[in-house]
Structures are given as C-alpha cells and as structure tokens.
Amino acid sequence: MVGLDRADDAGVYKVSDDLALIQTVDFFTPIVDDPFWFGQIAAANALSDVYAMGGTPRTAMNLVGFPLGDMDIDVLRKIILGGLEKIREAGVVLIGGHSVEDKELKYGLSVTGFIHPSKVLTKQNLQNNDDLILTKPLGTGIINTAIKAGLASEQIILDTTKLMAQLNKIAAETMTEYKIHACTDITGFGLLGHLAEMVVGSSKSLLIHSKDVPTLPEAMEFGSMGLVPAGAYKNREFRECMTRFSSSVSPVVRDILFDPQTSGGLLICCPSSQTEKLLADLHARGLVQSAVIGKVIDDPSQKIFVE
Ligand code: CO
Ligand code: CO
Ligand code: CO
C-alpha cells in the first residue's frame, strides 16, 4: 500500500481486508552521553514512524553496532535496557535483533505495526482549509548543539532528553479517534523539510504562523548565539525553493523551523471542523504544548508560506 515510489514514514503491506502491516527501521549514533537515555530516545524515534502512519506498533528487533574492545559492554547493556523500557511502554514485544562490531556505536530498532487498511495515514491527502497540528515543541537540534558545546545547564539537558524520549503513542492514539487526513513525524529534515514532503505533488500550499509554532525557549536563546547544527543549513538549502518567508520572520526563527529534530512530534493534518476538539483532547492527555501552527491553502504552487 505504501512503498518506495514516494517518501513516507514507513512501508505498509496489506495482509487481508482487515489488516495491514507497517514496517520501519531506524538507528543512529548517540545524541546524548547517558547510554540508558540514548536507548530510550533511539527506541522512541524508531517507534514513531508507526505512530505517524496511524498504526499500533506490535513487535520490535534490536539493531546494534558496537565497538567491542574500545567500549565497556556495560554501555551496551544500558542502551538495550533503555530501549526495552520504551518498547514496553509502547506495549510492543521485543522478538529478536542483530548486532555487528562497528567502529562507531549505533543503536535502533526495526518495528512492525498493525493497522486497518482503510485507516492508513500518509503524507498525502491534504485538503483545503485543513489545520496543521504539531504535538512537540521544536529546537532539540539546536539544544543538542549547545550541549555538545558545553553551554547547556543540567536542567536543560534533562528536559530536552525527556522530550526526545517521549513516545508519540498518546498523540497517535488520540489522533486516530478522529478522521484525520494526513500525518507525519518531525525528525531530521526539520519542520519545514517534513512539511515540504507533504506538499510535493499535492496541488496545495501551506500557510504557517511562525508565532504559533511551539518552540523550546532555550532553542531561541542558543539559536540567537549561532549554535545551529549543520543539518539545519542543509535542510534549508534543500527546501528553500519551496519556502516563502515574510520579512517579519527573524533569522533565528527560520533556523528553528529548519532545525533537525530527534524523535520530534507528530504533524497532524486535521479537518478544521475537528481541530478544536482534537487539540483539547491532546492537551487533556498531557500533550500541553500541542498547537495549531498553520493550515492547508488552495494554491497549486506547492509552496510553504511562513509569516
Ligand atoms: Co518519520
Ligand atoms: Co524514520
Ligand atoms: Co543475525
């Protein structure tokens, strides 16, 4: 049902009239120092692509690259335990895995999920006047850059780590109670990069209200100091041709909108008649930073207007 012909969050294969399998794989090198937290973040990130399709993750397998000899095996044990904590929280069963010796530590999961074939949410199917809801604040790429530079406080490190380790489970479960048109999750391409993927080939455009985009306050602070990851500039270079900023949008806000996120939130494309109730539900279930950040507009130029 969903394959290589277009970039989506996961592949989907129809098994029967009632069941489709969602399959995805994700792994990366450490983005935090603490191995237990790194395991949690990598697992939350891998599970997220199933949630972004509107599905329920069911099974997972560990993927490990580990520098045996250079690193204490206890580090790997903690990573796996961190991942397992998130796998359990997701109600998923760990059924296997594979590890190789590798110069650089890597960890992630392959995940299989279930979904009814008629309920699959992709990046396509944007409808005029739909509202765009984002469920986690932006800025983790910039804050991770500040952490690497030794400029972030312990409190900021902990808060950002917790945010990255937060599953998109509740957001997905809440969203699937509504008739949503499209969904994706915000990761390495940044908000505008992922919005661009939704717009390409859609015959629509998007209007984003930058002041409504939930943002970590420290990201504004560190971004103003120039602590912007190289990925943000790559994202901008790649998608600049599709974005139109109004002159009132400051350079740091532009950087944040292109900032690569680790395990970011869901971006939900919601019919406007349901927005108010869905947003209230997300807030009531603890996703208090969820916000409407813009809408789909009837403009076939496939641009993202940011004001
Ligand atoms: Co994704
Ligand atoms: Co992915
Ligand atoms: Co094997």
Side-chain angles (χ1 to χ4, degrees):
M1 295 180 68
V2 181
L4 289 171
D5 50 324
R6 58 178 206 246
D8 222 298
D9 292 300
V12 183
Y13 182 84
K14 185 173 168 180
V15 178
S16 68
D17 286 345
D18 306 319
L19 178 68
L21 286 185
I22 303 172
Q23 291 182 289
T24 181
V25 54
D26 251 296
F27 61 95
F28 46 56
T29 56
I31 27 98
V32 292
D33 282 337
D34 184 289
F36 187 70
W37 277 114
F38 169 56
Q40 290 191 50
I41 293 166
N45 179 70
L47 290 158
S48 178
D49 280 326
V50 174
Y51 293 128
M53 305 303 287
T56 307
R58 292 297 178 116
T59 63
M61 295 205 257
N62 282 328
L63 293 163
V64 175
F66 193 75
L68 266 181
D70 289 345
M71 206 176 267
D72 189 342
I73 195 77
D74 193 49
V75 171
L76 181 57
R77 194 181 62 82
K78 285 176 178 150
I79 291 171
I80 302 280
L81 283 175
L84 193 59
E85 186 163 292
K86 284 292 148 179
I87 290 167
R88 287 202 179 119
E89 187 185 330
V92 166
V93 186
L94 182 71
I95 55 170
H98 186 71
S99 55
V100 293
E101 207 173 333
D102 195 336
K103 277 194 190 111
E104 202 172 10
L105 175 62
K106 297 179 187 81
Y107 172 67
L109 301 176
S110 80
V111 184
T112 299
F114 288 1
I115 192 165
H116 191 282
S118 68
K119 301 262 170 75
V120 176
L121 295 172
T122 67
K123 297 180 185 182
Q124 303 192 323
N125 193 34
L126 308 184
Q127 308 288 328
N128 289 336
N129 227 23
D130 280 353
D131 288 312
L132 303 169
I133 298 174
L134 178 63
T135 65
K136 281 190 193 181
L138 298 182
T140 58
I142 289 172
I143 291 177
N144 286 331
T145 307
I147 293 172
K148 280 183 198 132
L151 293 167
S153 69
E154 286 301 317
Q155 192 59 51
I156 293 171
I157 294 173
L158 184 64
D159 291 349
T160 310
T161 301
K162 280 185 182 163
L163 182 70
M164 293 187 289
Q166 184 189 94
L167 291 177
N168 281 327
K169 179 178 197 275
I170 291 170
E173 287 171 353
T174 309
M175 143 181 104
T176 49
E177 291 168 14
Y178 293 80
K179 285 202 173 68
I180 297 306
H181 286 152
C183 181
T184 190
D185 57 346
I186 306 303
T187 53
F189 295 128
L191 175 68
L192 291 178
H194 290 282
L195 289 176
E197 289 181 335
M198 296 182 104
V199 156
V200 166
S202 71
S203 77
K204 311 282 180 212
S205 291
L206 304 177
L207 177 64
I208 302 299
H209 303 290
S210 62
K211 287 194 171 62
D212 296 336
V213 177
T215 302
L216 296 163
E218 297 84 4
M220 288 290 283
E221 189 184 316
F222 292 127
S224 307
M225 294 162 63
L227 292 161
V228 177
Y233 297 114
K234 279 188 205 148
N235 290 341
R236 171 183 290 195
E237 242 168 73
F238 184 39
R239 293 301 191 182
E240 206 155 39
C241 54
M242 291 180 64
T243 48
R244 297 286 178 272
F245 289 101
S246 94
S247 58
S248 61
V249 182
S250 71
V252 60
V253 168
R254 297 179 196 207
D255 287 342
I256 286 168
L257 297 177
F258 278 116
D259 184 41
Q261 300 302 287
T262 301
S263 188
L266 295 186
L267 190 288
I268 303 167
C269 185
C270 178
S272 58
S273 59
Q274 303 190 55
T275 304
E276 203 180 317
K277 191 153 185 305
L278 171 55
L279 196 64
D281 264 359
L282 289 167
H283 290 166
R285 294 182 203 185
L287 301 171
V288 293
Q289 306 231 52
S290 301
V292 178
I293 62 163
K295 64 195 300 187
V296 178
I297 55 176
D298 186 11
D299 172 345
S301 69
Q302 303 179 23
K303 294 283 185 294
I304 305 167
F305 300 95
V306 184
E307 53 174 52

